[in-house]
mmCIF file with all atom_site columns, all heavy atoms in Angstrom:
data_model
loop_
_atom_site.group_PDB
_atom_site.id
_atom_site.type_symbol
_atom_site.label_atom_id
_atom_site.label_alt_id
_atom_site.label_comp_id
_atom_site.label_asym_id
_atom_site.label_entity_id
_atom_site.label_seq_id
_atom_site.pdbx_PDB_ins_code
_atom_site.Cartn_x
_atom_site.Cartn_y
_atom_site.Cartn_z
_atom_site.occupancy
_atom_site.B_iso_or_equiv
_atom_site.pdbx_formal_charge
_atom_site.auth_seq_id
_atom_site.auth_comp_id
_atom_site.auth_asym_id
_atom_site.auth_atom_id
_atom_site.pdbx_PDB_model_num
ATOM 1   N N   . HIS A 1 59 ? 8.174  -11.470 7.331  1.00 0.00 ? 1027 HIS A N   1
ATOM 2   C CA  . HIS A 1 59 ? 7.412  -10.561 6.466  1.00 0.00 ? 1027 HIS A CA  1
ATOM 3   C C   . HIS A 1 59 ? 8.399  -9.631  5.776  1.00 0.00 ? 1027 HIS A C   1
ATOM 4   O O   . HIS A 1 59 ? 9.018  -8.782  6.428  1.00 0.00 ? 1027 HIS A O   1
ATOM 5   C CB  . HIS A 1 59 ? 6.412  -9.738  7.284  1.00 0.00 ? 1027 HIS A CB  1
ATOM 6   C CG  . HIS A 1 59 ? 5.299  -10.558 7.860  1.00 0.00 ? 1027 HIS A CG  1
ATOM 7   N ND1 . HIS A 1 59 ? 4.431  -10.076 8.805  1.00 0.00 ? 1027 HIS A ND1 1
ATOM 8   C CD2 . HIS A 1 59 ? 4.909  -11.827 7.594  1.00 0.00 ? 1027 HIS A CD2 1
ATOM 9   C CE1 . HIS A 1 59 ? 3.548  -11.017 9.110  1.00 0.00 ? 1027 HIS A CE1 1
ATOM 10  N NE2 . HIS A 1 59 ? 3.826  -12.092 8.391  1.00 0.00 ? 1027 HIS A NE2 1
ATOM 11  N N   . LEU A 1 60 ? 8.536  -9.810  4.475  1.00 0.00 ? 1028 LEU A N   1
ATOM 12  C CA  . LEU A 1 60 ? 9.586  -9.092  3.742  1.00 0.00 ? 1028 LEU A CA  1
ATOM 13  C C   . LEU A 1 60 ? 8.992  -8.053  2.808  1.00 0.00 ? 1028 LEU A C   1
ATOM 14  O O   . LEU A 1 60 ? 7.830  -8.178  2.381  1.00 0.00 ? 1028 LEU A O   1
ATOM 15  C CB  . LEU A 1 60 ? 10.391 -10.096 2.898  1.00 0.00 ? 1028 LEU A CB  1
ATOM 16  C CG  . LEU A 1 60 ? 10.925 -11.327 3.642  1.00 0.00 ? 1028 LEU A CG  1
ATOM 17  C CD1 . LEU A 1 60 ? 11.683 -12.231 2.664  1.00 0.00 ? 1028 LEU A CD1 1
ATOM 18  C CD2 . LEU A 1 60 ? 11.829 -10.932 4.797  1.00 0.00 ? 1028 LEU A CD2 1
ATOM 19  N N   . VAL A 1 61 ? 9.803  -7.050  2.446  1.00 0.00 ? 1029 VAL A N   1
ATOM 20  C CA  . VAL A 1 61 ? 9.361  -6.154  1.365  1.00 0.00 ? 1029 VAL A CA  1
ATOM 21  C C   . VAL A 1 61 ? 9.368  -6.983  0.082  1.00 0.00 ? 1029 VAL A C   1
ATOM 22  O O   . VAL A 1 61 ? 10.140 -7.931  -0.051 1.00 0.00 ? 1029 VAL A O   1
ATOM 23  C CB  . VAL A 1 61 ? 10.245 -4.889  1.203  1.00 0.00 ? 1029 VAL A CB  1
ATOM 24  C CG1 . VAL A 1 61 ? 10.132 -3.980  2.389  1.00 0.00 ? 1029 VAL A CG1 1
ATOM 25  C CG2 . VAL A 1 61 ? 11.680 -5.233  0.917  1.00 0.00 ? 1029 VAL A CG2 1
ATOM 26  N N   . ASN A 1 62 ? 8.508  -6.639  -0.851 1.00 0.00 ? 1030 ASN A N   1
ATOM 27  C CA  . ASN A 1 62 ? 8.318  -7.555  -1.978 1.00 0.00 ? 1030 ASN A CA  1
ATOM 28  C C   . ASN A 1 62 ? 9.252  -7.294  -3.151 1.00 0.00 ? 1030 ASN A C   1
ATOM 29  O O   . ASN A 1 62 ? 9.160  -7.979  -4.166 1.00 0.00 ? 1030 ASN A O   1
ATOM 30  C CB  . ASN A 1 62 ? 6.847  -7.537  -2.434 1.00 0.00 ? 1030 ASN A CB  1
ATOM 31  C CG  . ASN A 1 62 ? 6.435  -6.182  -2.969 1.00 0.00 ? 1030 ASN A CG  1
ATOM 32  O OD1 . ASN A 1 62 ? 7.202  -5.232  -2.879 1.00 0.00 ? 1030 ASN A OD1 1
ATOM 33  N ND2 . ASN A 1 62 ? 5.245  -6.078  -3.517 1.00 0.00 ? 1030 ASN A ND2 1
ATOM 34  N N   . GLY A 1 63 ? 10.132 -6.307  -3.037 1.00 0.00 ? 1031 GLY A N   1
ATOM 35  C CA  . GLY A 1 63 ? 11.070 -6.051  -4.135 1.00 0.00 ? 1031 GLY A CA  1
ATOM 36  C C   . GLY A 1 63 ? 12.492 -6.048  -3.617 1.00 0.00 ? 1031 GLY A C   1
ATOM 37  O O   . GLY A 1 63 ? 12.724 -6.122  -2.403 1.00 0.00 ? 1031 GLY A O   1
ATOM 38  N N   . PRO A 1 64 ? 13.469 -5.942  -4.536 1.00 0.00 ? 1032 PRO A N   1
ATOM 39  C CA  . PRO A 1 64 ? 14.863 -5.907  -4.092 1.00 0.00 ? 1032 PRO A CA  1
ATOM 40  C C   . PRO A 1 64 ? 15.203 -4.566  -3.432 1.00 0.00 ? 1032 PRO A C   1
ATOM 41  O O   . PRO A 1 64 ? 14.682 -3.524  -3.833 1.00 0.00 ? 1032 PRO A O   1
ATOM 42  C CB  . PRO A 1 64 ? 15.652 -6.082  -5.401 1.00 0.00 ? 1032 PRO A CB  1
ATOM 43  C CG  . PRO A 1 64 ? 14.727 -5.648  -6.479 1.00 0.00 ? 1032 PRO A CG  1
ATOM 44  C CD  . PRO A 1 64 ? 13.334 -5.896  -5.993 1.00 0.00 ? 1032 PRO A CD  1
ATOM 45  N N   . ALA A 1 65 ? 16.083 -4.617  -2.440 1.00 0.00 ? 1033 ALA A N   1
ATOM 46  C CA  . ALA A 1 65 ? 16.420 -3.402  -1.675 1.00 0.00 ? 1033 ALA A CA  1
ATOM 47  C C   . ALA A 1 65 ? 16.859 -2.263  -2.585 1.00 0.00 ? 1033 ALA A C   1
ATOM 48  O O   . ALA A 1 65 ? 16.602 -1.101  -2.304 1.00 0.00 ? 1033 ALA A O   1
ATOM 49  C CB  . ALA A 1 65 ? 17.519 -3.737  -0.667 1.00 0.00 ? 1033 ALA A CB  1
ATOM 50  N N   . GLU A 1 66 ? 17.490 -2.605  -3.712 1.00 0.00 ? 1034 GLU A N   1
ATOM 51  C CA  . GLU A 1 66 ? 18.048 -1.527  -4.548 1.00 0.00 ? 1034 GLU A CA  1
ATOM 52  C C   . GLU A 1 66 ? 16.973 -0.659  -5.218 1.00 0.00 ? 1034 GLU A C   1
ATOM 53  O O   . GLU A 1 66 ? 17.291 0.406   -5.714 1.00 0.00 ? 1034 GLU A O   1
ATOM 54  C CB  . GLU A 1 66 ? 19.004 -2.103  -5.598 1.00 0.00 ? 1034 GLU A CB  1
ATOM 55  C CG  . GLU A 1 66 ? 18.331 -3.031  -6.575 1.00 0.00 ? 1034 GLU A CG  1
ATOM 56  C CD  . GLU A 1 66 ? 19.306 -4.054  -7.168 1.00 0.00 ? 1034 GLU A CD  1
ATOM 57  O OE1 . GLU A 1 66 ? 20.480 -4.060  -6.796 1.00 0.00 ? 1034 GLU A OE1 1
ATOM 58  O OE2 . GLU A 1 66 ? 18.848 -4.857  -8.008 1.00 0.00 ? 1034 GLU A OE2 1
ATOM 59  N N   . ILE A 1 67 ? 15.701 -1.106  -5.210 1.00 0.00 ? 1035 ILE A N   1
ATOM 60  C CA  . ILE A 1 67 ? 14.689 -0.224  -5.807 1.00 0.00 ? 1035 ILE A CA  1
ATOM 61  C C   . ILE A 1 67 ? 13.916 0.572   -4.740 1.00 0.00 ? 1035 ILE A C   1
ATOM 62  O O   . ILE A 1 67 ? 13.085 1.402   -5.074 1.00 0.00 ? 1035 ILE A O   1
ATOM 63  C CB  . ILE A 1 67 ? 13.684 -0.974  -6.723 1.00 0.00 ? 1035 ILE A CB  1
ATOM 64  C CG1 . ILE A 1 67 ? 12.790 -1.926  -5.927 1.00 0.00 ? 1035 ILE A CG1 1
ATOM 65  C CG2 . ILE A 1 67 ? 14.386 -1.691  -7.863 1.00 0.00 ? 1035 ILE A CG2 1
ATOM 66  C CD1 . ILE A 1 67 ? 11.571 -2.409  -6.739 1.00 0.00 ? 1035 ILE A CD1 1
ATOM 67  N N   . PHE A 1 68 ? 14.206 0.314   -3.454 1.00 0.00 ? 1036 PHE A N   1
ATOM 68  C CA  . PHE A 1 68 ? 13.392 0.934   -2.411 1.00 0.00 ? 1036 PHE A CA  1
ATOM 69  C C   . PHE A 1 68 ? 14.135 1.997   -1.591 1.00 0.00 ? 1036 PHE A C   1
ATOM 70  O O   . PHE A 1 68 ? 13.698 2.366   -0.492 1.00 0.00 ? 1036 PHE A O   1
ATOM 71  C CB  . PHE A 1 68 ? 12.832 -0.134  -1.471 1.00 0.00 ? 1036 PHE A CB  1
ATOM 72  C CG  . PHE A 1 68 ? 11.742 -0.989  -2.094 1.00 0.00 ? 1036 PHE A CG  1
ATOM 73  C CD1 . PHE A 1 68 ? 11.544 -2.310  -1.704 1.00 0.00 ? 1036 PHE A CD1 1
ATOM 74  C CD2 . PHE A 1 68 ? 10.895 -0.462  -3.055 1.00 0.00 ? 1036 PHE A CD2 1
ATOM 75  C CE1 . PHE A 1 68 ? 10.544 -3.092  -2.265 1.00 0.00 ? 1036 PHE A CE1 1
ATOM 76  C CE2 . PHE A 1 68 ? 9.886  -1.233  -3.626 1.00 0.00 ? 1036 PHE A CE2 1
ATOM 77  C CZ  . PHE A 1 68 ? 9.710  -2.553  -3.232 1.00 0.00 ? 1036 PHE A CZ  1
ATOM 78  N N   . SER A 1 69 ? 15.264 2.493   -2.123 1.00 0.00 ? 1037 SER A N   1
ATOM 79  C CA  . SER A 1 69 ? 15.925 3.600   -1.433 1.00 0.00 ? 1037 SER A CA  1
ATOM 80  C C   . SER A 1 69 ? 14.945 4.767   -1.327 1.00 0.00 ? 1037 SER A C   1
ATOM 81  O O   . SER A 1 69 ? 14.138 4.991   -2.238 1.00 0.00 ? 1037 SER A O   1
ATOM 82  C CB  . SER A 1 69 ? 17.153 4.023   -2.253 1.00 0.00 ? 1037 SER A CB  1
ATOM 83  O OG  . SER A 1 69 ? 17.538 5.328   -1.899 1.00 0.00 ? 1037 SER A OG  1
ATOM 84  N N   . LEU A 1 70 ? 15.006 5.522   -0.252 1.00 0.00 ? 1038 LEU A N   1
ATOM 85  C CA  . LEU A 1 70 ? 14.134 6.701   -0.135 1.00 0.00 ? 1038 LEU A CA  1
ATOM 86  C C   . LEU A 1 70 ? 14.593 7.819   -1.058 1.00 0.00 ? 1038 LEU A C   1
ATOM 87  O O   . LEU A 1 70 ? 13.899 8.811   -1.242 1.00 0.00 ? 1038 LEU A O   1
ATOM 88  C CB  . LEU A 1 70 ? 14.108 7.203   1.311  1.00 0.00 ? 1038 LEU A CB  1
ATOM 89  C CG  . LEU A 1 70 ? 13.482 6.251   2.333  1.00 0.00 ? 1038 LEU A CG  1
ATOM 90  C CD1 . LEU A 1 70 ? 13.510 6.856   3.725  1.00 0.00 ? 1038 LEU A CD1 1
ATOM 91  C CD2 . LEU A 1 70 ? 12.041 5.894   1.943  1.00 0.00 ? 1038 LEU A CD2 1
ATOM 92  N N   . TYR A 1 71 ? 15.794 7.640   -1.648 1.00 0.00 ? 1039 TYR A N   1
ATOM 93  C CA  . TYR A 1 71 ? 16.380 8.676   -2.494 1.00 0.00 ? 1039 TYR A CA  1
ATOM 94  C C   . TYR A 1 71 ? 16.613 8.069   -3.883 1.00 0.00 ? 1039 TYR A C   1
ATOM 95  O O   . TYR A 1 71 ? 17.628 7.384   -4.092 1.00 0.00 ? 1039 TYR A O   1
ATOM 96  C CB  . TYR A 1 71 ? 17.697 9.172   -1.872 1.00 0.00 ? 1039 TYR A CB  1
ATOM 97  C CG  . TYR A 1 71 ? 17.527 9.433   -0.393 1.00 0.00 ? 1039 TYR A CG  1
ATOM 98  C CD1 . TYR A 1 71 ? 17.856 8.458   0.563  1.00 0.00 ? 1039 TYR A CD1 1
ATOM 99  C CD2 . TYR A 1 71 ? 16.953 10.622  0.056  1.00 0.00 ? 1039 TYR A CD2 1
ATOM 100 C CE1 . TYR A 1 71 ? 17.639 8.673   1.910  1.00 0.00 ? 1039 TYR A CE1 1
ATOM 101 C CE2 . TYR A 1 71 ? 16.729 10.845  1.414  1.00 0.00 ? 1039 TYR A CE2 1
ATOM 102 C CZ  . TYR A 1 71 ? 17.078 9.862   2.335  1.00 0.00 ? 1039 TYR A CZ  1
ATOM 103 O OH  . TYR A 1 71 ? 16.845 10.063  3.671  1.00 0.00 ? 1039 TYR A OH  1
#
Side-chain angles (χ1 to χ4, degrees):
H1027 292 168
L1028 309 179
V1029 293
N1030 64 353
E1034 63 206 2
I1035 67 166
F1036 288 150
S1037 160
L1038 295 180
Y1039 314 95

